[in-house]
Amino acid sequence: VQGIGGAMTSAVILGMIVTMFPEHREQAKAIGVYAFVASAGGSVGLLAGGVITQSIDWHWIFFVNIPIGIATAVFARRLLDDDHGIGLSEGADVPGAILITAALMLGVYTIVKPAADYGWGAGRTLALGGASLVLLLGFLVREATARKPLVPLRILRSRNLASANLIQVLSVAGMFGVFFLGALYLRRVLGYDALQIGLAFLPVTLTMGTLSIRYSERLVTRFGARNLLVPGLALIMLALVLFAQAPVHGSYVAHVLPSMLLLGIGAGVCFPALMTVAMSGASPQDAGLASGLVNTTAQVGGALGLAVLATLSTSRSGHLIAQGQSTAAALTSGYHLAFWIAAALIVAAIAVVPLVLGGKQPALDAGAQ
């Protein structure tokens, strides 16, 4: 149910921002706020979840979205202008939706179950992975031939939009695992409780929020959105590399806090610029479609990234425990492997940036120049 509601809202948000804030400077500021909310949710959730778990009960974490949803609905009705859709048209691409959903679900299942239990080269893993790729290929064929496709492939002809979404898949895949596996490192290796883990990630939120909300518009206007991508991604990569050095008996100030600060600064610089680049590649009539695609690639990157990183980390830790290493040392080594792979994903994202830099400069950047 949450997934359906999230899809209905996230598919239109960026498109609404582009429409509501046509002036370049205001649009950059609005996208900065959006990027902060979208990116900082993980660390805010860790803090809120820690407070609720420790003070009340873990079941109550599922009630957090209720007051937020009610307040959002009330303010949306009061502050946003009424607009009317065209309704559900005939020929909706239900087969396309089923194909892509099945492909992604089977892909994630293959990573977290057969690959973890039987190995990446096992027949069951290869068979299910192959079936996932066949479903994905079927989706692409369907989108190329459907009268009203779920994702018109023409939208990917925009170099900015296609490259920005690829960068987002890779970068979110790398970052998302940090919140999950980093929290496990703090809990299972350093012995932090739920509240301490939430507070440990608070610097990410604070630095990301300060940059995204207060300075992203100035940075994008001054340097251009695309010119911020490499510095931001490089800081995220450095944060992951540093986290991969955290020892079994690490201290927060020496081994965790620097990574948190770098992660927050990098995300605060990179993600507002990335949203700006992505939306600059969409025509006004495709703004809603581009918005949905941007949010979808973020979810896909997070799901696949977490599945891969958690599976490889668990496999390595289990192998080392079987060899006689202590649990803490084995877990730490597994987390280190995940952080190194996450850093490699960020490097791959950086390698895609020239594809964006080679395209036509977005109007926002042109105005700054």
Side-chain angles (χ1 to χ4, degrees):
V1 173
Q2 283 190 333
I4 294 171
M8 292 172 64
T9 54
S10 65
V12 299
I13 292 173
L14 272 175
M16 291 174 65
I17 289 175
V18 172
T19 303
M20 293 164 59
F21 300 96
E23 198 275 319
H24 298 319
R25 190 176 296 271
E26 290 299 313
Q27 186 180 115
K29 187 180 297 184
I31 289 179
V33 173
Y34 165 81
F36 164 66
V37 173
S39 303
S43 53
V44 172
L46 284 171
L47 178 57
V51 171
I52 292 171
T53 299
Q54 202 150 312
S55 60
I56 308 176
D57 183 77
W58 69 268
H59 294 87
W60 282 78
I61 64 175
F62 297 103
F63 292 109
V64 170
N65 285 344
I66 295 177
I68 296 174
I70 293 173
T72 302
V74 170
F75 283 115
R77 293 295 301 171
R78 296 185 61 181
L79 299 177
L80 298 179
D81 295 333
D82 286 335
D83 62 333
H84 300 282
I86 60 175
L88 291 174
S89 60
E90 295 183 4
D93 190 17
V94 175
I98 293 175
L99 283 168
I100 188 61
T101 303
L104 293 174
M105 290 180 65
L106 184 58
V108 171
Y109 173 78
T110 302
I111 295 169
V112 301
K113 192 62 177 172
D117 292 348
Y118 304 104
W120 293 89
R124 186 176 306 186
T125 303
L126 295 175
L128 291 175
S132 176
L133 292 176
V134 169
L135 289 170
L136 181 59
L137 179 60
F139 168 73
L140 294 175
V141 172
R142 169 67 187 179
E143 299 313 284
T145 57
R147 185 164 59 91
K148 293 182 179 179
L150 185 70
V151 180
L153 298 183
R154 59 173 171 76
I155 197 171
L156 299 179
R157 295 173 187 163
S158 166
R159 179 184 293 184
N160 281 351
L161 182 61
S163 301
N165 277 278
L166 179 56
I167 291 170
Q168 175 153 270
V169 167
L170 294 168
S171 58
V172 171
M175 277 189 62
F176 199 81
V178 175
F179 293 111
F180 180 76
L181 296 172
L184 288 179
Y185 166 76
L186 294 174
R187 176 73 186 96
R188 302 183 68 183
V189 178
L190 299 188
Y192 284 28
D193 59 32
L195 179 57
Q196 288 174 319
I197 291 172
L199 292 173
F201 281 88
L202 189 58
V204 178
T205 305
L206 295 177
T207 52
M208 191 185 305
T210 300
L211 283 168
S212 297
I213 296 175
R214 189 172 182 85
Y215 295 106
S216 66
E217 170 261 325
R218 302 180 189 178
L219 290 171
V220 168
T221 302
R222 173 65 180 84
F223 298 104
R226 290 169 300 178
N227 295 328
L228 298 175
L229 295 180
V230 170
L233 290 170
L235 289 172
I236 294 172
M237 180 198 65
L238 181 59
L240 295 171
V241 170
L242 287 179
F243 218 164
Q245 314 300 315
V248 174
H249 301 291
S251 70
Y252 179 76
V253 173
H255 303 108
V256 179
L257 181 58
S259 294
M260 297 295 104
L261 292 174
L262 287 171
L263 198 62
I265 296 171
V269 170
C270 172
F271 283 107
L274 189 60
M275 299 300 101
T276 300
V277 170
M279 296 307 295
S280 73
S283 61
Q285 62 268 27
D286 286 334
L289 177 59
S291 172
L293 188 61
V294 167
N295 284 282
T296 299
T297 55
Q299 300 299 322
V300 170
L304 293 177
L306 181 56
V308 171
L309 296 180
T311 299
L312 293 175
S313 175
T314 302
S315 298
R316 181 174 179 83
S317 296
H319 177 70
L320 293 175
I321 290 174
Q323 289 184 333
Q325 283 200 19
S326 67
T327 300
L331 288 172
T332 302
S333 180
Y335 300 145
H336 285 175
L337 174 64
F339 295 149
W340 279 114
I341 295 173
L345 290 173
I346 303 300
V347 172
I350 293 174
V352 178
V353 172
L355 297 177
V356 181
L357 292 175
K360 183 180 178 182
Q361 186 83 343
L364 179 62
D365 301 354
Q369 293 175 348

